[in-house]
Amino acid sequence: MSSAAPIAPDVAPEGPVRLADRAARRAWPARVLAALRRHRVDLAVAVLFVGLAGWLTHGFWPDPAGRTLALNPADQALYEWFLAVDARALFGDFSLLTDRLNAPDGVNLMANTTVIALGIAFAPVTLALGAPVTFALLAALNLAGTAVAWYLLYTRVLRARRVAAGLGAGLCGFGPGMVSQTNSHLHMTAQWLVPVIVWLVVRLLRAADPERMGPTDPADPEGSVVVLGPDRRRLVSSALGLTAAVTVQVFIGEEVLFLAAVALLVMALTCLAVDRDLARRALPGFAGGLAIAAGLALLVLAYPLWFQFAGPQGVADGVFNPYHFSADLRSWWTLSPLSLAGDDDAARLTTGPAEYNSFLGWPLLLVTAACAIWLGRRRVVAVACAVAALVMGLLSLGPAVVLDGTRTRLPGPYALLHGLPVVDGALPMRFALAVLPLGATLLVLAVDRALAATGRARRLVPAAVGMALLPLVPTPLPTADRPPLPEFITGGHWRECVAPGGVLVPVPLPTPREPWPMRWAAAADAAFGMPEGFFIGPYGRDGTAAFGTYPRPTSALLADVARRGDRPVIGDDQRRQAERDADFWGASCVALADGTPHKDSLRITLEQLYGPSSRIADAWIWRV
């Protein structure tokens, strides 16, 4: 009798592939936990940096919209407007020439420090929570992100011990220049891509070296080097990566990219001069890789750069006077007022609280110099960093050396660069910002070498570095309350007098000195335009760069009333001029909010210019 046939199951048995997939799905949490345990120290360092950044900016967090950086509120209003304009890219309403300011001419965003890439990346935050929240987040994340990026570079590329890498990365991310630039200069503190660019340049150099692997044969006691030739695949991938990083950095902050490029150029030339064998082996491939990266970057950036320098509302020169924005020689051995042991009298040695770039203090200068001498020529990178730090420090002194507030007759090395295209766009004193990572790298190399040694150096060097860094520990950034925005704006009532995309004229109009009405536009996600404002445009002599534009006669009249409280005599000439100015701006309505200084005088003046007003929420409006 035949045996009974087996009953077929409803579901076919799982094959080995499906079983392997299920096993992999069950195993991934274990792999994640293993990775977290393996990198727990690195994660702890990152959390420490994020916590420090949050503590330094904690004055924002109770109410980002109602708080401002007390030392530079005007630039904060500017950057919040930038972030609001950049966020409109999610609506498809974005152009390098925006019509949301300086109506009707507009503003060239490439000619301004608009952090376009960051603004677009954080657009969901801006649209959901407001530009002030995005600004506060970026102020903190730029510090922490820069420190974390340098930490990874030091531990992965230099193979430095974590203690040494943490000290150096902390200086890179939270040094005096970085903390002071956090006073509203988002384009200068967003330096987290710089270590990526450095890594790609190093990778390119290693790929170009035919002895890049340098393996030693274990069977040969004397050691033997295998010459492999340049790694063309890594050369190309490094060049492509460098192109991508440079392109993104252009849309974050061109000045940071320029400073990094100058420092890397000095370092590369120093390395090739010190190590002639390396120059002979790697220079052809290295130069070729850089040429590929530069060529591709120029191809990608050709239109944005043309637009910046020669496009509508573009400028080809800088707006800052290099003789004024130069680092005082004395500032180098003075401590920043924003540091733990800062000197309040130091403020007179710089142009403002956002420019404590060179205030490293004499303890750190002495220790860094001693570390450079101790390292000597044993590490080519140490020599390159020392030379580059010296060059960048000297360039920061500007075209004429200033000592203790007095300009001397001694010319500075920057005089050799003064007047060159592009260079004019960088402030000389900001060359000092590049000294932070260069000096930090020297400290990392010295501490790492000391920890690997025995004897007194193992204790002496880390202790000396720690003591030199202690006075530079930053203090929280001062913040203050700022006036609330009118309910006319926050409640969306502005739509009753101006259509989205139209022009609203706030009274008084925004200016470089008084940009506060730009907060109205930022709060409305830049849905309407404004005349005049705070920006860089071609309104200087012969079309050179200047802050803001020429005020129209009606704008100047209203600004004078807002400043003095006087009530000028208004005649037919003023009324006709007010009508012409409104037509020039393409204005839909004029708005005067409650709480504006000298509101009564302004309202009477506006009624004489434009006739009776109407009330919407907490603002008086005139439809023109």
Side-chain angles (χ1 to χ4, degrees), residues 95-114:
S95 171
L96 294 180
L97 180 69
T98 180
D99 60 356
R100 302 306 160 92
L101 197 65
N102 191 36
D105 295 340
V107 172
N108 186 317
L109 295 181
M110 289 300 298
N112 288 263
T113 56
T114 45

Side-chain angles (χ1 to χ4, degrees), residues 95-426:
S95 171
L96 294 180
L97 180 69
T98 180
D99 60 356
R100 302 306 160 92
L101 197 65
N102 191 36
D105 295 340
V107 172
N108 186 317
L109 295 181
M110 289 300 298
N112 288 263
T113 56
T114 45
V115 292
I116 293 173
L118 294 181
I120 294 176
F122 281 80
V125 178
T126 302
L127 296 175
L129 302 176
V133 174
T134 303
F135 179 90
L137 279 174
L138 288 174
L141 291 178
N142 282 349
L143 294 174
T146 299
V148 169
W150 280 106
Y151 174 81
L152 294 175
L153 181 78
Y154 290 145
T155 54
R156 304 305 192 266
V157 178
L158 285 185
R159 303 292 182 184
R161 288 165 177 78
R162 291 183 173 91
V163 172
L167 289 173
L171 179 59
C172 292
F174 300 94
M178 287 290 290
V179 173
S180 69
Q181 291 289 338
T182 303
N183 283 296
S184 299
H185 292 170
L186 297 181
H187 69 299
M188 297 305 302
T189 59
Q191 296 185 21
W192 38 270
L193 263 184
V194 173
V196 176
I197 292 172
V198 173
W199 167 65
L200 289 167
V201 171
V202 171
R203 189 174 187 264
L204 189 66
L205 179 61
R206 289 177 176 174
D209 186 356
E211 298 177 5
R212 64 193 182 280
M213 302 298 292
T216 301
D217 185 355
D220 183 0
E222 298 298 324
S224 60
V225 176
V226 178
V227 179
L228 300 176
D231 188 337
R232 290 180 174 81
R233 183 176 178 181
R234 288 172 64 89
L235 270 172
V236 173
S237 63
S238 299
L240 292 176
L242 193 57
T243 299
V246 166
T247 300
V248 174
Q249 185 62 49
V250 164
F251 291 101
I252 295 175
E254 292 176 88
E255 195 168 353
V256 167
L257 178 63
F258 171 74
L259 297 175
V262 174
L264 284 171
L265 176 62
V266 175
M267 290 184 68
L269 293 176
T270 304
C271 287
L272 297 176
V274 171
D275 192 340
R276 300 294 179 84
D277 290 337
L278 176 63
R280 175 182 52 79
R281 298 192 314 263
L283 184 57
F286 182 62
L290 286 181
I292 293 173
L296 290 174
L298 287 175
L299 185 64
V300 173
L301 296 169
Y303 177 74
L305 293 179
W306 169 85
F307 199 92
Q308 174 179 347
F309 296 111
Q313 296 298 103
V315 293
D317 62 329
V319 73
F320 300 102
N321 183 351
Y323 285 92
H324 179 66
F325 290 94
S326 300
D328 193 304
L329 182 59
R330 183 178 173 181
S331 67
W332 281 100
W333 57 81
T334 305
L335 291 172
S336 166
L338 301 178
S339 298
L340 185 64
D343 181 0
D344 291 335
D345 189 49
R348 65 183 181 83
L349 300 177
T350 188
T351 58
E355 301 294 346
Y356 294 124
N357 308 315
S358 52
F359 290 68
L360 299 182
W362 62 265
L364 183 61
L365 292 180
L366 291 178
V367 169
T368 304
C371 288
I373 294 171
W374 183 58
L375 291 168
R377 294 171 61 102
R378 297 187 182 186
R379 296 287 298 269
V380 175
V381 65
V383 178
C385 285
V387 172
L390 181 62
V391 170
M392 300 301 279
L394 290 174
L395 288 173
S396 74
L397 301 178
V401 176
V402 177
L403 178 60
D404 199 18
T406 302
R407 183 173 289 110
T408 69
R409 295 184 179 181
L410 182 65
Y414 184 87
L416 301 174
L417 306 178
H418 182 35
L420 293 178
V422 180
V423 176
D424 269 352

